[in-house]
Amino acid sequence: MLLFRLFSKLPLKVLFIFSDLFYLLAYYVIGYRKKIVLSNIKHAFPEKSDAEVKGIAKDFYRNFTDSMAETIKLLTMSKKELQRRFVTKNSNLVNDAVDNGEIVIGMCGHFFNWEGHLVTVSSKVGDKCETVYTKLSAPFFEKLMKSIRCRYGAILTERKSFQRTFLRNRNNPRLIVLAADQRPNLSDIRYWTPFMNRETAFFEGGEKLAKKFNTRVIYAHTTKPKRGHYVFEYQVLSAPPYQNHEPHSITDQFIKLLENNIRVEPSLYLWSHNRWKQKKP
């Protein structure tokens, strides 16, 4: 941990030198999950040429290794620099609702740099930010990521215990962050629908929670104007009352916004994740 903290003290422009080296290794030497990355992009954008697909893949690997450098920097990055590099627009949609005693659900996709986004949000709302996550199998990296994510008081709740925790804290106003594009376990699959040109399984926990407890749902459209800088623009994905909503309405709207975000910023999405490993029965 000490070594990571020492690295974190370096200016980000220095850490980006290491990122450039890791990019060359990941793409040209090791080929880290390269077949999965290229296959995922090709399926998502069948209209693009092989050269265009390769260009998105190269940009993805650059963003991927940059995010590693940025995440290490988050260990010691000042609040001023954090909020300069990770800009949140329309954050009053969350802050005002929480201040008024509401629970808000943030349904997010895996766009770089989601770790910086989370830390920035928690730097503003502290322990009123709860993130549902999957515990890492390696104890060291689990401890490291907890140090980063909880630096400003954010609460981490393991996915398997979230339902029980939510019922216990259902009267506590806060932002609940859900990575709603993760691949469910086979036992958790309830909804299959087209996503980026393939039948895809989705969790519907966010939708069920919102409709049962009448909470608004927020989406953050992610862009990267330049290296080391991100913009997360909040918008209302869905809001009560939900009496006339069709089944899957919130999940479908999330997918619509997610796809639009991917088409605007294709290289920011986590293509190395084997999202389509499972096939619809």
Side-chain angles (χ1 to χ4, degrees):
M1 184 70 75
L2 178 60
L3 180 62
F4 278 91
R5 287 196 172 275
L6 290 174
F7 268 108
S8 182
K9 294 286 187 180
L10 295 172
L12 194 53
K13 63 182 180 182
V14 175
L15 292 175
F16 279 153
I17 296 174
F18 291 97
S19 173
D20 290 338
L21 295 173
F22 282 129
Y23 159 71
L24 295 173
L25 285 172
Y27 186 80
Y28 289 103
V29 181
I30 301 171
Y32 173 72
R33 295 197 171 190
K34 198 170 181 179
K35 288 183 179 180
I36 293 175
V37 170
L38 291 170
S39 175
N40 284 344
I41 296 172
K42 187 65 177 177
H43 276 91
F45 301 99
E47 74 281 3
K48 293 189 181 296
S49 67
D50 289 344
E52 289 174 314
V53 169
K54 188 175 180 180
I56 293 173
K58 284 185 174 181
D59 289 342
F60 158 75
Y61 279 97
R62 286 195 175 277
N63 287 323
F64 180 73
T65 55
D66 274 3
S67 74
M68 295 169 61
E70 292 158 355
T71 300
I72 291 172
K73 185 63 182 175
L74 289 173
L75 269 170
T76 57
M77 186 181 288
S78 70
K79 186 179 291 189
K80 182 179 179 180
E81 183 179 3
L82 181 71
Q83 295 180 2
R84 179 174 63 85
R85 291 185 176 277
F86 301 92
V87 176
T88 55
K89 291 187 175 181
N90 302 329
S91 56
N92 61 292
L93 293 174
V94 172
N95 300 341
D96 291 351
V98 172
D99 288 343
N100 288 332
E102 297 179 34
I103 291 176
V104 178
I105 297 173
M107 291 179 68
C108 302
H110 279 85
F111 292 96
F112 300 120
N113 186 331
W114 63 84
E115 298 292 355
H117 184 196
L118 174 63
V119 176
T120 302
V121 171
S122 65
S123 74
K124 297 178 180 180
V125 300
D127 62 0
K128 291 183 179 180
C129 177
E130 178 182 5
T131 300
V132 182
Y133 84 114
T134 301
K135 187 175 182 179
L136 297 175
S137 57
F140 173 80
F141 287 105
E142 169 71 6
K143 183 179 179 180
L144 175 65
M145 295 312 298
K146 275 189 173 181
S147 297
I148 293 170
R149 292 167 176 171
C150 301
R151 185 180 170 199
Y152 291 104
I155 297 170
L156 296 182
T157 301
E158 285 192 60
R159 186 178 297 279
K160 62 183 179 181
S161 62
F162 173 64
Q163 186 174 4
R164 182 175 64 253
T165 303
F166 178 83
L167 291 174
R168 187 169 63 243
N169 299 313
R170 62 185 177 273
N171 295 321
N172 296 340
R174 64 199 186 281
L175 169 66
I176 298 175
V177 180
L178 302 175
D181 64 338
Q182 285 188 340
R183 186 184 70 221
N185 296 323
L186 287 172
S187 59
D188 296 324
I189 295 174
R190 297 292 184 272
Y191 184 44
W192 289 87
T193 190
F195 168 58
M196 300 307 294
N197 299 310
R198 284 196 272 186
E199 287 290 321
T200 310
F202 279 89
F203 284 110
E204 286 203 286
E207 172 160 341
K208 292 178 180 178
L209 194 67
K211 289 181 175 178
K212 184 173 182 178
F213 294 96
N214 282 313
T215 63
R216 76 170 66 188
V217 183
I218 299 296
Y219 179 83
H221 183 89
T222 305
T223 54
K224 185 178 182 179
K226 61 181 179 178
R227 195 178 197 184
H229 293 263
Y230 301 82
V231 177
F232 306 95
E233 187 168 359
Y234 296 172
Q235 61 190 92
V236 177
L237 187 155
S238 190
Y242 294 114
Q243 286 84 348
N244 297 321
H245 274 232
E246 295 292 326
H248 317 302
S249 60
I250 295 176
T251 306
D252 285 342
Q253 179 64 10
F254 167 71
I255 293 168
K256 179 181 177 181
L257 295 173
L258 182 67
E259 283 197 336
N260 178 63
N261 203 157
I262 291 172
R263 295 187 188 283
V264 172
E265 292 275 4
S267 64
L268 290 185
Y269 196 62
L270 186 64
W271 297 112
S272 58
H273 176 39
N274 200 358
R275 183 65 177 86
W276 290 276
K277 180 180 179 180
Q278 297 155 343
K279 306 299 180 184
K280 184 177 180 180

